[in-house]
Amino acid sequence: MNWDSFLAYPLEDLPFVALVLIISFTVHEFAHAYSAYKFGDNTPKDMGRVTLNPRVHIDILGAILILIAGFGWAKPVLVNSSRFKNPRLMGIIVSAVGPLSNLLLGVLGILILLTLDSTGAMYAGSNGVNLAIERFLSYFIYLNFLLFIFNLIPLPPLDGYRIIQDLLPLEARVKMDQNVQWGVYIFLLLVFIPPLRRVTLDPILGWWVPLSHFFANLFQPLF
């Protein structure tokens, strides 16, 4: 059976993709939980989410789907913004720090790649070790920038939806809350129906793919 036809990534690359997702999802959700806790909401702390332990953040179904469909999710952090001193401003910050953490991880990946290349450390090991490091960093850069952009799409349950909601007047926010369940269904339809995905999500995410491949392969070792 050709498993590659069922997967969003080559079968031999799944260990690298899985490791990157564990790190990226964990940091993303920890950023939400920690910022909410520091702003005065104990809900994430009480639910054990203010931690870098991946087991409390990873959603198995969401992780499997990102391997199959290229899109997925971690367990969302529940936040009670009414406990914030400035609920709207702090709510925006709490929502934004998740995607921003992925942006910073992507930049960190590029810096590590630059450092390894400039110092020659990228080429110090065996071909197998060098290839594994390059493959991991390539996915680390690509997936973190992808998660940054993807999570800013203004559809529930993504962070971009919450950011837009907190920017709007109260009346509009109430209407958004009343229709949030339909937004989730719309999001799932856009993800899993290829014709809809090609004219909606793919154009939003597609511009990043060539650029991310450029960064990820810029210092690819020659074996």
Side-chain angles (χ1 to χ4, degrees), residues 24-77:
S24 304
F25 281 159
T26 298
V27 172
H28 180 111
E29 298 304 330
F30 170 78
H32 286 313
Y34 181 77
S35 58
Y37 173 64
K38 296 303 288 185
F39 284 151
D41 179 19
N42 287 330
T43 305
K45 179 71 172 179
D46 295 340
M47 298 184 71
R49 302 300 299 274
V50 186
T51 176
L52 287 171
N53 181 354
R55 293 199 303 173
V56 304
H57 297 301
I58 301 300
D59 182 280
I60 298 300
L61 178 59
I64 291 173
L65 283 176
I66 201 170
L67 299 178
I68 296 174
F71 297 93
W73 54 81
K75 292 178 183 177
V77 173

Side-chain angles (χ1 to χ4, degrees), residues 28-150:
H28 180 111
E29 298 304 330
F30 170 78
H32 286 313
Y34 181 77
S35 58
Y37 173 64
K38 296 303 288 185
F39 284 151
D41 179 19
N42 287 330
T43 305
K45 179 71 172 179
D46 295 340
M47 298 184 71
R49 302 300 299 274
V50 186
T51 176
L52 287 171
N53 181 354
R55 293 199 303 173
V56 304
H57 297 301
I58 301 300
D59 182 280
I60 298 300
L61 178 59
I64 291 173
L65 283 176
I66 201 170
L67 299 178
I68 296 174
F71 297 93
W73 54 81
K75 292 178 183 177
V77 173
L78 297 182
V79 173
N80 184 354
S81 59
S82 64
R83 295 179 177 177
F84 299 154
K85 183 178 297 185
N86 188 332
R88 294 184 67 180
L89 175 60
M90 293 179 175
I92 291 171
I93 295 173
V94 169
S95 296
V97 293
L100 286 175
S101 71
N102 293 123
L103 175 64
L104 292 176
L105 286 176
V107 172
L108 177 62
I110 292 174
L111 293 176
I112 292 174
L113 211 83
L114 283 166
T115 301
L116 292 178
D117 183 76
S118 63
T119 61
M122 179 69 82
Y123 317 100
S126 65
N127 284 353
V129 171
N130 295 345
L131 181 60
I133 293 173
E134 182 271 332
R135 192 71 55 85
F136 170 78
L137 288 174
S138 294
Y139 277 114
F140 191 82
I141 296 167
Y142 169 73
L143 287 173
N144 272 292
F145 278 108
L146 184 67
L147 288 171
F148 166 66
I149 298 167
F150 179 66

Side-chain angles (χ1 to χ4, degrees), residues 137-179:
L137 288 174
S138 294
Y139 277 114
F140 191 82
I141 296 167
Y142 169 73
L143 287 173
N144 272 292
F145 278 108
L146 184 67
L147 288 171
F148 166 66
I149 298 167
F150 179 66
N151 278 287
L152 289 178
I153 296 174
L155 282 174
L158 302 178
D159 298 316
Y161 177 82
R162 295 301 177 192
I163 294 173
I164 294 297
Q165 190 177 39
D166 282 325
L167 287 172
L168 293 176
L170 178 60
E171 184 178 349
R173 291 158 58 198
V174 171
K175 289 183 179 179
M176 289 179 70
D177 274 335
Q178 292 172 344
N179 297 294

